[in-house]
Amino acid sequence: MNEAAKAPRLRLGVNIDHVATIRNARGGAHPDPVRAAQIVAAVGGDGITAHLREDRRHIRDADIERIMAATNLPLNLEMAATEEMLEIALRHKPHAACIVPERREERTTEGGLDAAGQHNHLAPIVTRLTDANIRVSLFIEPDARQIEAAIRLRAPIVEFHTGKYAHAEGAEREVELRRIADAAALAAKNGIEPHAGHGLTFDNVQPIAAIPQFAELNIGHYLIGEAIFIGLEESVRKMRALMDLAR
Ligand code: PXP
């Protein structure tokens, strides 16, 4: 059996934050991220991802319930490790909570969470989410030290930040890809389900999708951007097809 034959089905989680970003640019109700979630469900997406930021620049508090009610898809709520976000997650009980680092002034989540450096801060948050039956995912760099920290924190999932890979070119990209592949293997060997996301596009998704241990990719900005030109259905379908071809 080759590696690909052993690989689990690779889920596609669609991050719909940027539908809300466009809505918020005018302050009204259009375009509605709920409609995006329904389209993702209709074309076979496996999950919805959304990041409730401290400054609410994408989705807002009221969107969480609406998004969860709109489809049967699991919600992966991205959240900073703060008491405010923990309370919101515990109230809504999404399928999963992905803990991300957050700095108000950044344009996007620019790097992974320092799970190793923040063990004592993260440990009670991971425990409280887990006790509420929410699957905890830690958004970390593909780095052995961070994976070891995730093991100590008993996180069932890690999501590797693929931003460096996505922005690198040539030989540097190959180095980043190797790092991600090694990290996915190390996580899986230790019983942690590896996911990946950030900066993935039609052009760069396939080498990541081919890494056999990955169970889920979370992709947002590119899919929503591409939807402007080809529609959200086609954008999600095309990404799905590229991922399937890579396995
Ligand atoms: N996964 C996580 C944890 C994220 O924070 C983000 C957004 O930064 C994504 C996936 C999706 O990244 P992108 O929008 O670049 O596809």
Side-chain angles (χ1 to χ4, degrees):
M1 212 193 315
N2 64 25
E3 278 299 300
K6 280 186 282 177
R9 183 177 182 284
L10 183 61
R11 297 188 300 266
L12 171 59
V14 178
N15 182 319
I16 57 173
D17 284 339
H18 294 297
V19 177
T21 310
I22 298 172
R23 176 195 63 187
N24 299 351
R26 285 289 171 94
H30 180 83
D32 190 346
V34 163
R35 189 165 160 204
Q38 288 165 334
I39 291 171
V40 170
V43 297
D46 300 289
I48 301 296
T49 290
H51 185 177
L52 186 70
R53 278 187 170 265
E54 185 195 10
D55 63 6
R56 309 303 197 261
R57 78 174 82 144
H58 320 303
I59 66 154
R60 304 183 185 127
D61 300 59
D63 293 325
I64 301 176
E65 205 171 314
R66 294 171 61 243
I67 291 169
M68 287 178 73
T71 77
N72 289 326
L73 293 182
L75 175 67
N76 174 35
L77 181 70
E78 293 180 13
M79 54 175 267
T82 63
E83 193 57 37
E84 181 200 11
M85 290 301 153
L86 178 63
E87 273 169 27
I88 292 170
L90 292 175
R91 196 170 341 120
H92 291 283
K93 294 201 172 35
H95 171 78
C98 180
I99 304 182
V100 301
E102 194 173 303
R103 286 185 293 122
R104 188 184 274 266
E105 66 278 13
E106 70 188 355
R107 255 188 296 176
T108 178
T109 310
E110 285 161 3
L113 183 74
D114 182 12
Q118 291 186 52
H119 176 92
N120 292 346
H121 175 64
L122 294 171
I125 297 178
V126 173
T127 302
R128 286 173 68 190
L129 290 166
T130 305
D131 287 349
N133 280 330
I134 299 169
R135 293 190 88 204
V136 177
S137 161
L138 302 178
F139 190 42
I140 58 174
E141 292 295 322
D143 167 321
R145 187 166 155 265
Q146 298 299 341
I147 297 166
E148 282 151 18
I151 296 167
R152 283 195 297 279
L153 285 163
R154 297 207 184 89
I157 303 169
V158 289
E159 180 167 326
F160 294 118
H161 194 302
T162 48
K164 288 203 183 81
Y165 158 81
H167 296 127
E169 285 174 6
E172 203 192 320
R173 176 174 283 198
E174 290 308 309
V175 171
E176 288 302 327
L177 184 61
R178 190 73 257 157
R179 258 170 34 95
I180 294 168
D182 289 348
L186 180 62
K189 200 174 115 196
N190 285 282
I192 297 184
E193 183 176 291
H195 298 179
H198 198 92
L200 296 177
T201 68
F202 293 156
D203 290 332
N204 67 23
V205 73
Q206 288 196 298
I208 298 292
I211 295 171
Q213 293 86 2
F214 278 134
E216 180 171 310
L217 303 183
N218 285 302
I219 309 180
H221 183 265
Y222 184 82
L223 283 177
I224 303 304
E226 214 34 36
I228 296 168
F229 304 110
I230 63 174
L232 186 56
E233 290 92 342
E234 187 53 24
S235 179
V236 174
R237 272 203 199 104
K238 188 166 171 188
M239 189 62 84
R240 178 75 259 171
L242 288 166
M243 287 163 55
D244 288 341
L245 276 174
R247 279 274 157 127

